[in-house]
Amino acid sequence: FAALHLQLDSLGKTCHLGGIAKGYIADQVAALLRGRVFGAIISLGGNTYVIGDKPDGSRNTIGVQDPWGENGALEGVLSTKNISVVTSGTYERGFTGDDGVWYHHILVPETGLPARSDLVSATILTPSSMTADALATACIVMGSEKAIQMLEANGLDALLIREDGQLVYTQGFVEKYDYMSYEDFVNR
C-alpha cells in the first residue's frame, strides 16, 4: 500500500472513512479473486463488484434498488462485467424526527446536516469500488444537474434517480449496460 498522510488543522477534528470502506474492501476482494476465478459477483450491500462473465460467456445482470419499494425491490437491471456497481441513496439509513422530517445518513460536509438535493439515489459504475463509493455519495450532495455535469466531464457512467421519480443517465449508459426497467426485464 502507498503511504498516505492526513493532517487536520486543529485539535478535535476527525476524518471518518466509513463512506468508502465497503468500496475499499470490495476492491481488495476483487484483486484477490481476479485471475483465480472465471467469474464472480461480490455483493456488500450497495456495493457490487462483477468479475468476468457467467459460465455461458454472457454478462452478469445486476439490479438497481427501487428507492420507494421494499428492501430488495428493483427499479431496473443492467448487464455488465469487470466493473464495480455502487449505489448510494437517501432511503436506506436514517430516521424520522419529531418534526416529521426524514433525516438520512448522507451529510453535507459544511453543515453536518443531511443533504437536501433532488436526488434519492446515485448508481456509479467504475473499475474502483472505492471511487464509486465516494462519487455516489458526492452526487447525492451535489444534486442531479451538477452531478451529471461532473460525471460526464470525467467520462464516468451513472444512473441517478430524482425525488420526482425521473431517471437521469450519463450519455450512452442505457445502451452500454442494456439498462431496462425491472418490469421490462421480467416481461421480455
Side-chain angles (χ1 to χ4, degrees):
F1 299 112
L4 298 175
H5 178 78
L6 173 66
Q7 181 174 336
L8 301 173
D9 59 359
S10 66
L11 291 175
K13 287 192 176 181
T14 61
C15 181
H16 183 347
L17 300 176
I20 59 171
K22 280 196 294 184
Y24 175 80
I25 293 166
D27 288 340
Q28 297 308 304
V29 172
L32 287 171
L33 293 176
R34 202 173 284 113
R36 292 182 170 99
V37 298
F38 178 78
I41 297 176
I42 303 161
S43 179
L44 301 177
N47 293 55
T48 304
Y49 206 112
V50 180
I51 300 170
D53 296 313
K54 293 180 189 176
D56 67 2
S58 64
R59 297 190 302 175
N60 287 285
T61 303
I62 304 297
V64 175
Q65 174 134 357
D66 178 350
W68 298 281
E70 295 293 320
N71 192 13
L74 299 180
E75 189 296 313
V77 296
L78 55 90
S79 298
T80 192
K81 66 178 181 177
N82 298 321
I83 201 159
S84 182
V85 182
V86 175
T87 300
S88 188
T90 61
Y91 53 88
E92 197 68 33
R93 294 190 332 232
F95 64 93
T96 302
D98 293 338
D99 56 3
V101 174
W102 173 251
Y103 292 90
H104 58 78
H105 70 291
I106 300 173
L107 307 178
V108 177
E110 293 83 9
T111 66
L113 296 172
R116 298 288 178 220
S117 75
D118 64 336
L119 291 177
V120 294
S121 176
T123 300
I124 311 293
L125 286 79
T126 68
S128 166
S129 191
M130 188 171 69
T131 299
D133 242 350
L135 288 170
T137 302
C139 286
I140 297 288
V141 174
M142 283 187 235
S144 63
E145 190 174 314
K146 288 181 181 176
I148 207 75
Q149 289 172 358
M150 179 271 299
L151 293 163
E152 288 188 342
N154 289 285
L156 299 167
D157 297 324
L159 161 63
L160 309 176
I161 303 177
R162 295 183 359 177
E163 60 189 358
D164 63 7
Q166 182 180 353
L167 305 182
V168 181
Y169 314 96
T170 51
Q171 189 172 3
F173 180 90
V174 173
E175 298 78 16
K176 185 174 181 179
Y177 299 104
D178 299 324
Y179 189 81
M180 64 184 77
S181 72
Y182 181 67
E183 184 177 321
D184 288 347
F185 176 75
V186 170
N187 294 320
R188 63 186 170 128

